[in-house]
């Protein structure tokens, strides 16, 4: 590969023209949108793989367009008179295209990790996602080159771009549907997005093997189609070898992923060994110095103050009563004992609450839902035994939410019931002394589900 | 008539029609393999019209380059019917392949998005050439898709009510703004490319 040729290819590469479009796609992808939210290293790593969903298809399409250049312009026969093999020329074009793609992706990684380093309060960067992303660029370029050179038409690049997008999207759909083959798509997170459990490298390894395989197949097929040169036999031998190696690697990755299982630590491939269960990560919780102390994982330190203020505002009327909670701690999902709190983003946006468990839980609640859940936890150890006792607990929880000045969740069961609303209003207008007296006498019974709506003052 | 046929041949229309036939088959297959979930419908109404729009956009290329502009015949009278005919063919394929599925809603979504993406592809063909006509349409389609969650919402109607305003390709079938913007883009694309042709460099239109 000649350095001069590579320099020319780098200068004249179509990907340069598309860099602003690629940047816009990254900006509009979850990667760009998440830069302003709570910074968790695992999530930001996953965002780097998500970025491929936007930029990958266009990059592959551009590669297909570049690969068809010689045939499109009728230069192939003329170029057979040059001393270099067609494969070498194509590999130089591929290397230049890949270099621009990799350079762009490195820029994205630098921005995302640089921003996260300034924002995050715990942990460090996960290396598998950017590594998978970096390996995706040569693989997409090789795929685009193989198709663009084999089918040199102005229709090909568009179809390659749309095709790659469909494959990526179907990979995500299959992965969410529990079909492990979908995990091979490079936009499927190679790590578990959890600050609680150590992430296994298994999926990253398998994805890397698959991407190397696709690169091998793409470049090998490119060599097989680059005929018409006097040294064609030697080139063909190398191309066949590369194609076979690529097929073997891709096949191995399919076999490995088909044997995998998923848990809190991500994907486990038995072939790689490793622990059968996810290993919890050690951490020292950070706690608020409030009447009701709130302790969260240090990765969520940025949200501790706001969460502590909200929970304390909510819990103020019941604090200190017999049976009332005296501490709240953030726990991972699956360990849902009493006292578990779910800390979310309660920022100015006040839109969707992102729980620490949200990556595993597709039904992440909105902020009003979260507040109503917290309020119910404050007045109910066990849900009411009957509608009447559950309504009593709901009326008290509704009182707590309104007193705290928080919006009431429209979907909250029984909260829209006129009798419950009337009871909450009656309770709110009691004299403070009478209210405290009633709570002191009945709070324990209320939490146990032994107080009916009619029993409320 | 002969002139029209020669023009159509010079635009590789046989390949374009073959591509549109593939689109019809792909749409039919998708319809039968789809679970009808919100994400699946969003993906379908994005990728299939993109496929059609990319074919129409690529068909703007002329094998003769600038020399064609010296022709004594007024070319818009050939260009516009050719491109409009391909859009109609693509739309017909999408409609036929989805007849009886999700009522008329999915058909209108597919056709509206075909119009939207084709408009973008034609405008891009004027700027980047026929070979890269797909860039803006594919970029926009993907950017719109990136604004929706992948599996949180059960029906497309619910999802359509939550998408970003500029993601017109994912708006509900009843959304007038999306329909108007799609129509404007297609008319602009047909007008501009119809009158001036795609901006191809020699060799790019093969």
């Amino acid at each position: 590969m000649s350095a001069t040729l590579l320099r020319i290819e780098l200068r004249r590469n179509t990907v340069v023209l598309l860099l602003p479009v690629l940047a816009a796609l990254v900006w509009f992808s979850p990667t760009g949108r998440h830069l302003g939210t709570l910074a968790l290293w695992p999530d930001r790593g996953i965002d780097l793989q998500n970025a491929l969903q936007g930029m990958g298809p266009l990059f592959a399409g551009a590669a297909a367009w570049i690969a068809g250049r010689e045939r499109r312009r009728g230069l192939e026969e003329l170029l057979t008179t040059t001393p270099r093999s067609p494969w070498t020329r194509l590999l130089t074009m591929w290397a230049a295209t890949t270099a621009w793609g990799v350079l762009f992706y490195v820029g994205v990684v630098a921005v995302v990790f640089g921003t996260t380093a300034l924002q995050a309060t715990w942990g460090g960067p996960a290396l598998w996602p950017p590594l998978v992303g970096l390996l995706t660029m040569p693989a997409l370029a090789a795929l685009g080159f193989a198709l663009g050179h084999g089918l040199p038409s102005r229709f090909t690049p568009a179809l390659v771009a749309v095709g790659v997008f469909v494959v990526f999207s179907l990979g995500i759909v299959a992965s969410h549907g529990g079909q492990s083959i979908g995990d091979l798509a490079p936009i499927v997170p190679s790590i578990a997005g959890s600050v609680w459990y150590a992430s296994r490298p298994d999926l990253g390894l398998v994805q890397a093997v698959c991407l190397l395989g696709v690169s091998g197949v793409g470049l090998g097929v490119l060599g097989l189609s680059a005929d018409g040169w006097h040294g064609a036999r030697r080139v063909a031998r190398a191309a066949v070898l590369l194609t076979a190696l690529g097929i073997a690697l891709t096949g191995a990755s399919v076999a490995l992923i088909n044997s995998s299982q998923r848990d809190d630590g991500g994907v486990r491939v038995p072939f790689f060994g490793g622990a059968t269960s996810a290993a919890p990560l050690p951490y020292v919780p950070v706690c608020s110095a409030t009447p009701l102390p709130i302790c969260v994982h240090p990765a969520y330190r940025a949200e501790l103050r706001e969460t502590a203020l909200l929970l304390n505002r909510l819990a103020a009327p019941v604090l200190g009563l017999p049976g009332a909670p005296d501490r709240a701690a953030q726990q991972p999902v699956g360990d849902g004992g009493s006292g578990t709190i779910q800390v979310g983003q309660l920022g100015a946006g006040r839109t969707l609450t992102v729980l620490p468990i949200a990556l595993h839980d597709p039904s992440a609640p909105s902020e009003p839902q979260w507040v109503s859940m917290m309020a119910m936890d404050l007045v109910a150890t066990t849900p009411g035994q009957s509608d009447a006792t559950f309504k009593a607990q709901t009326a008290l929880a509704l009182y707590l939410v309104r007193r705290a000045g928080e919006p009431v969740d429209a979907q909250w069961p029984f909260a829209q019931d006129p009798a419950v609303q009337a009871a909450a209003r009656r309770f709110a207008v009691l004299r403070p002394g009478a209210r405290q007296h009633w709570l002191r006498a009945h709070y324990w019974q209320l939490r146990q589900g032994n107080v009916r709506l009619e029993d409320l003052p | 008539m002969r002139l029209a046929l020669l023009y159509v041949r010079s635009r590789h229309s046989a390949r374009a029609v073959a591509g549109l036939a593939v689109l019809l088959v792909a749409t039919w297959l998708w319809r039968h393999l789809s679970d009808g979930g919100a994400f699946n419908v969003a993906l379908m109404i994005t990728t299939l019209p993109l496929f059609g729009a990319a074919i129409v956009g690529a068909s703007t290329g002329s094998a003769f380059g600038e020399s064609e502009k010296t022709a004594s015949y007024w070319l818009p009278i050939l260009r516009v019917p050719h491109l409009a005919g391909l859009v109609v063919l693509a739309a017909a394929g999408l409609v036929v392949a989805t007849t009886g599925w999700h009522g008329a809603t999915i058909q209108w979504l597919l056709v509206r998005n075909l119009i939207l993406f084709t408009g973008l592809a034609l405008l891009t063909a004027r700027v980047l050439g026929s070979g890269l006509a797909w860039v803006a349409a594919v970029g926009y389609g993907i950017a719109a898709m990136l604004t929706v969650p992948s599996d949180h919402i059960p029906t497309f109607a619910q999802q359509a009510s939550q998408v970003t305003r500029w993601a017109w390709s994912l708006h509900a079938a009843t959304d007038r703004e999306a329909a108007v913007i799609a129509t404007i883009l297609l008319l602009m694309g047909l007008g501009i490319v119809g009158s001036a042709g795609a901006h191809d460099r020699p060799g790019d239109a093969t």
Side-chain angles (χ1 to χ4, degrees):
Chain A
M1 198 180 295
S2 151
T4 312
L5 200 56
L6 184 64
R7 239 190 341 264
I8 294 170
E9 290 294 350
L10 281 169
R11 204 172 57 234
R12 297 196 167 274
N13 204 280
T14 308
V15 175
V16 181
L17 186 72
L18 296 184
L19 286 179
V21 184
L22 296 181
L25 281 169
V26 172
W27 180 250
F28 284 118
S29 73
T31 314
R33 292 201 301 271
H34 290 173
L35 282 179
T37 61
L38 177 69
L40 302 176
W41 279 108
D43 288 3
R44 294 290 171 87
I46 289 169
D47 283 345
L48 285 175
Q49 278 186 267
N50 281 335
L52 296 167
Q53 197 174 6
M55 59 187 274
L58 257 81
F59 180 67
W65 174 247
I66 295 162
R69 189 182 65 197
E70 289 178 2
R71 283 197 183 177
R72 227 176 23 244
R73 298 190 176 166
L75 290 174
E76 274 208 317
E77 288 199 358
L78 177 69
L79 290 171
T80 53
T81 61
T82 61
R84 289 191 193 284
S85 82
W87 199 24
T88 310
R89 271 201 318 279
L90 286 166
L91 285 180
T92 311
M93 287 160 72
W94 168 80
T97 307
T98 300
W100 277 116
V102 166
L103 197 66
F104 178 78
Y105 191 73
V106 166
V108 173
V109 173
V111 169
V112 171
F113 276 178
T115 312
T116 309
L118 295 174
Q119 299 170 331
T121 54
W122 185 82
L127 294 180
W128 274 109
L131 191 63
V132 169
L134 285 174
L135 286 173
T136 303
M137 304 317 279
L140 288 176
L143 186 74
F145 262 71
L147 292 166
H149 190 259
L151 305 164
S153 157
R154 60 178 186 258
F155 296 103
T156 308
L159 302 187
V160 169
V162 176
V164 167
F165 181 64
V166 171
V167 169
F168 278 5
S169 301
L170 292 182
I172 283 279
V173 170
S175 177
H176 286 187
Q179 292 169 290
S180 54
I181 191 76
D183 291 341
L184 286 180
I187 58 168
V188 173
S190 57
I191 56 165
S194 169
V195 295
W196 309 96
Y197 299 102
S199 220
R200 293 193 190 90
D202 297 19
L203 182 57
L205 264 168
V206 176
Q207 286 178 333
V209 169
C210 181
L211 290 166
L212 287 173
V214 171
S215 301
V217 171
L219 295 180
V221 168
L222 201 62
L224 292 173
S225 65
D227 52 4
W229 186 66
H230 58 85
R233 190 174 293 174
R234 194 162 49 86
V235 168
R237 265 203 304 273
V240 166
L241 196 68
L242 193 56
T243 310
L245 186 66
I247 291 172
L249 286 174
T250 311
S253 67
V254 171
L256 288 171
I257 206 69
N258 276 338
S259 67
S260 67
Q261 295 130 18
R262 209 174 251 282
D263 63 18
D264 289 329
V267 170
R268 178 177 175 270
V269 178
F271 180 79
F272 296 140
T276 49
S277 59
L281 287 171
Y283 67 92
V284 179
V286 285
C287 300
S288 66
T290 45
L292 176 67
I294 313 292
C295 296
V296 298
H297 189 288
Y300 291 83
R301 184 195 296 267
E303 300 195 334
L304 175 61
R305 188 174 170 275
E306 197 175 0
T307 307
L309 286 176
L310 170 63
L311 270 179
N312 274 271
R313 216 162 56 234
L314 207 58
V318 300
L319 284 184
L321 295 175
D326 56 4
R327 183 174 177 276
Q330 185 188 24
Q331 306 266 327
V333 69
D335 182 22
S338 61
T340 296
I341 67 155
Q342 300 165 327
V343 178
Q345 287 182 296
L346 305 166
R350 289 183 179 274
T351 51
L352 194 71
T353 302
V354 180
L355 304 179
I357 53 161
L359 291 167
H360 305 294
D361 178 9
S363 55
S366 63
E367 187 185 330
Q369 281 174 328
W370 188 88
V371 169
S372 68
M373 282 158 56
M374 287 300 108
M376 284 303 289
D377 277 354
L378 286 168
V379 295
T381 308
T382 51
Q385 307 299 310
S386 65
D387 272 8
T389 54
F390 189 66
K391 281 180 179 176
Q393 290 170 336
T394 308
L396 256 290
L398 191 59
Y399 157 71
L400 294 180
V401 171
R402 284 183 178 155
R403 187 192 161 278
E406 288 298 313
V408 176
D409 175 27
Q411 308 295 322
W412 191 355
F414 291 119
Q416 308 305 327
D417 185 319
V420 171
Q421 295 214 350
R425 269 196 300 273
R426 272 201 318 276
F427 196 78
V429 296
L430 286 178
R431 280 183 295 109
R435 195 164 49 227
Q436 206 57 24
H437 179 73
W438 187 90
L439 281 172
R440 193 166 293 282
H442 297 93
Y443 177 70
W444 174 253
Q445 291 297 324
L446 180 81
R447 270 175 72 84
Q448 301 305 315
N450 295 330
V451 174
R452 293 170 304 159
L453 189 63
E454 306 88 87
D455 300 331
L456 291 182
Chain B
M1 189 61 192
R2 185 163 175 274
L3 183 64
L5 284 175
L6 288 172
Y7 177 85
V8 163
R9 268 182 67 189
S10 76
R11 261 54 183 179
H12 297 300
S13 292
R15 275 192 226 170
V17 172
L20 294 180
V22 172
L23 173 65
L24 189 145
V25 174
T27 311
W28 187 85
L29 278 175
W30 198 310
R31 167 202 172 158
H32 284 89
L33 295 175
S34 169
D35 62 0
F39 184 70
N40 217 308
V41 170
L43 193 59
M44 183 184 186
I45 64 165
T46 300
T47 51
L48 294 172
L50 266 180
F51 191 94
I55 290 172
V56 180
S59 296
T60 55
S62 160
F64 308 110
E66 293 208 323
S67 59
E68 196 177 60
K69 290 181 181 167
T70 62
S72 58
Y73 206 81
W74 195 52
L75 287 172
I77 212 146
L78 293 170
R79 286 191 191 122
V80 174
H82 166 243
L83 295 173
L86 285 176
V87 175
V88 170
L89 262 183
L94 292 170
V95 168
V96 166
T98 49
T99 301
W101 191 58
H102 275 265
T105 309
I106 194 88
Q107 293 171 331
W108 168 237
L109 287 169
L110 287 165
V111 172
R112 182 198 65 193
N113 288 354
L114 174 75
I115 292 171
L116 175 71
F117 295 143
T118 304
L120 277 173
L122 292 178
L123 292 171
T124 314
R126 183 60 206 142
V127 181
L128 297 179
S130 60
L132 293 173
W134 53 276
V135 168
V138 172
Y140 171 76
I142 292 175
M145 277 296 292
L146 292 176
T147 64
V148 297
S150 56
D151 62 353
H152 295 187
I153 301 168
T155 67
F156 178 75
Q158 280 173 284
Q159 182 178 277
S161 65
Q162 294 179 23
V163 295
T164 318
R165 185 169 180 187
W166 56 261
W168 294 292
S169 56
L170 297 172
H171 282 203
T174 50
D175 188 88
R176 193 168 293 181
E177 182 182 300
V180 168
I181 283 175
T183 311
I184 290 172
L185 281 174
L186 181 68
L187 291 177
M188 278 173 65
L190 280 176
I192 291 172
V193 175
S195 61
H199 182 71
D200 279 325
R201 286 184 300 169
D204 277 357
T206 306

